[in-house]
């Protein structure tokens, strides 16, 4: 496995997100000893951020050049995703053409960065207090099939992520496996977010084994099974020795990638680099369990 961390490990200043440039966080990640980095492109798709600007291609190229200078590899990434309900009542997308353009920019930026697998969120069509499984499956089958082909054209794999609640589509292995089977594209596979699985009440090691060889990306983080706390491992209720063993059992070879921005988010920016250093020590320990 390849130990990695998301660039959002340094993201917050005064408890406000999207405050630290990707170049600054990448430098600290490299200084900590990481060789592999997950580019949190979704953070840079928010209003006023780099992927929304006319200079986004230059930004992506400069970021790729910085990685080469630092000797790190942007091997994984997280694409654009909507905030809040994705659909109007007539099932048209709330983000419309803007969402499509930001997904396109995510793909092209990932190609420039040399990303191997980029994570996407499945979409939930809501019904009453839950979700409409049939309409959610149908929408994701067509949407992910279309974008999966575009990803592949740009040499980037798509990894569809498990979601945070039983009332959201794609929260369990069965739905993700059914979806990628219907899409039938080897470049469209699965990401497991350990914290999301824990929130749904799933056994994380069992989910890893169930997904098996379709697992191509991870978001490694911990919580107490109630909210998406994005804590570092051992700060919640996930059994980490068993989780790492499950990854070994399926011969997982891709990124063991921290998504632990709340390891640092409550601390002053000046001390955050020390916590990035700590995360690398923790990651090396986990991979030796």
């Amino acid at each position: 496995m390849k130990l990695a961390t998301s660039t959002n490990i340094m993201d917050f200043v005064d408890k406000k997100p999207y405050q630290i440039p990707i170049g600054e966080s990448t430098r600290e990640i490299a200084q900590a000893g990481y060789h592999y980095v997950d580019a949190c492109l979704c953070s840079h798709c928010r209003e006023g951020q780099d992927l929304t600007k006319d200079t986004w291609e230059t930004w992506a190229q400069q970021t790729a050049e910085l990685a080469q200078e630092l000797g790190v590899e942007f091997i994984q990434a997280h694409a654009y995703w909507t905030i809040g309900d994705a659909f109007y009542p007539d099932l048209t997308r709330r983000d419309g053409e803007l969402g499509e353009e930001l997904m396109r920019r995510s793909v092209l930026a990932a190609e420039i960065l040399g990303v191997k697998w980029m994570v996407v969120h499945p979409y939930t069509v809501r019904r009453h207090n839950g979700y409409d499984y049939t309409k959610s499956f149908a929408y994701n089958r067509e949407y992910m099939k279309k974008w999966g082909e575009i990803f592949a054209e740009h040499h980037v794999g798509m990894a569809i992520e498990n979601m945070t609640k039983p009332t959201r589509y794609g929260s369990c292995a069965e739905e993700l496996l059914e979806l990628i089977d219907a899409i039938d594209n080897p470049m469209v596979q699965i990401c497991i977010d350990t914290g999301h699985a824990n929130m749904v009440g799933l056994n994380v090691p069992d989910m890893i084994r169930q997904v098996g060889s379709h697992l191509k990306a991870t978001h490694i983080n911990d919580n107490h099974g109630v909210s998406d706390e994005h804590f570092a491992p051992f700060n919640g209720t996930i059994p980490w020795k068993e989780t790492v063993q499950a990854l070994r059992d399926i011969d997982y070879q891709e990124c063991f990638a921290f998504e632990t921005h709340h390891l640092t988010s409550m601390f002053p920016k000046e001390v955050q680099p020390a916590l990035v250093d700590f995360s690398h020590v923790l990651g090396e320990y986990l991979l030796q369990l």
Side-chain angles (χ1 to χ4, degrees):
M1 283 180 276
K2 305 174 180 72
L3 178 60
T5 191
S6 171
T7 52
N8 74 3
I9 197 168
M10 283 187 65
D11 188 56
F12 286 73
V13 176
D14 296 329
K15 299 183 180 180
K16 296 178 182 178
Y18 319 135
Q19 301 300 306
I20 297 177
I22 194 171
E24 188 171 348
S25 62
T26 301
R27 285 187 183 278
E28 296 297 346
I29 288 166
Q31 182 66 33
Y34 286 97
H35 300 292
Y36 301 102
V37 186
D38 179 338
C40 189
L41 298 180
C42 55
S43 295
H44 301 281
C45 289
R46 303 306 168 208
E47 185 176 358
Q49 298 300 317
D50 294 290
L51 280 172
T52 69
K53 299 176 182 178
D54 292 340
T55 55
W56 69 271
E57 288 178 287
T58 300
W59 170 82
Q61 187 60 52
Q62 290 174 342
T63 303
E65 291 169 0
L66 176 63
Q68 186 173 17
E69 172 192 325
L70 296 173
V72 298
E73 182 179 348
F74 282 110
I75 196 170
Q76 188 175 296
H78 196 319
Y80 165 77
W81 57 276
T82 59
I83 294 178
D85 286 344
F87 299 98
Y88 289 111
D90 65 358
L91 298 188
T92 56
R93 283 271 295 276
R94 288 181 180 271
D95 54 4
E97 293 181 3
L98 175 62
E100 294 295 280
E101 174 60 15
L102 289 172
M103 181 63 87
R104 186 186 75 87
R105 293 184 183 188
S106 294
V107 174
L108 296 181
E111 181 181 29
I112 291 169
L113 295 176
V115 167
K116 185 176 181 181
W117 291 98
M118 183 157 65
V119 176
V120 299
H121 286 194
Y123 286 91
T124 299
V125 179
R126 299 199 178 278
R127 180 184 183 188
H128 306 306
N129 292 322
Y131 75 104
D132 189 315
Y133 161 76
T134 301
K135 289 181 179 178
S136 295
F137 171 71
Y139 182 85
N140 283 281
R141 180 185 60 208
E142 298 309 312
Y143 184 81
M144 300 302 181
K145 180 178 178 63
K146 177 191 76 172
W147 277 104
E149 292 171 355
I150 296 170
F151 274 51
E153 288 171 4
H154 292 278
H155 315 290
V156 179
M158 172 190 285
I160 304 174
E161 182 177 5
N162 60 309
M163 291 289 94
T164 55
K165 300 177 182 178
T167 54
R168 294 188 67 182
Y169 177 76
S171 65
C172 63
E174 289 84 355
E175 289 182 352
L176 295 176
L177 289 166
E178 179 187 41
L179 179 59
I180 65 166
D181 184 61
I183 294 170
D184 193 25
N185 179 346
M187 293 289 283
V188 178
Q189 298 292 324
I190 292 172
C191 167
I192 287 182
D193 183 305
T194 56
H196 291 181
N198 199 46
M199 287 175 65
V200 175
L202 299 176
N203 180 288
V204 177
D206 286 351
M207 186 180 190
I208 289 169
R209 293 188 182 94
Q210 187 175 358
V211 169
S213 62
H214 295 292
L215 184 65
K216 300 298 181 184
T218 58
H219 287 165
I220 301 297
N221 59 91
D222 210 341
N223 59 48
H224 294 89
V226 178
S227 62
D228 204 11
E229 293 166 305
H230 285 280
F231 289 159
F234 301 108
N235 281 269
T237 57
I238 294 172
W240 286 104
K241 184 174 183 178
E242 293 84 352
T243 296
V244 173
Q245 185 58 52
L247 291 167
R248 290 200 187 95
D249 289 346
I250 66 168
D251 195 28
Y252 179 69
Q253 298 294 317
E254 304 297 341
C255 279
F256 185 89
F258 285 132
E259 191 183 50
T260 56
H261 38 287
H262 291 311
L263 169 65
T264 61
S265 64
M266 68 286 292
F267 291 98
K269 180 182 175 183
E270 290 77 9
V271 302
Q272 290 183 24
L275 294 166
V276 179
D277 293 345
F278 162 74
S279 76
H280 186 264
V281 174
L282 178 61
E284 289 191 317
Y285 170 79
L286 282 162
L287 293 185
Q288 293 171 7
L289 286 176

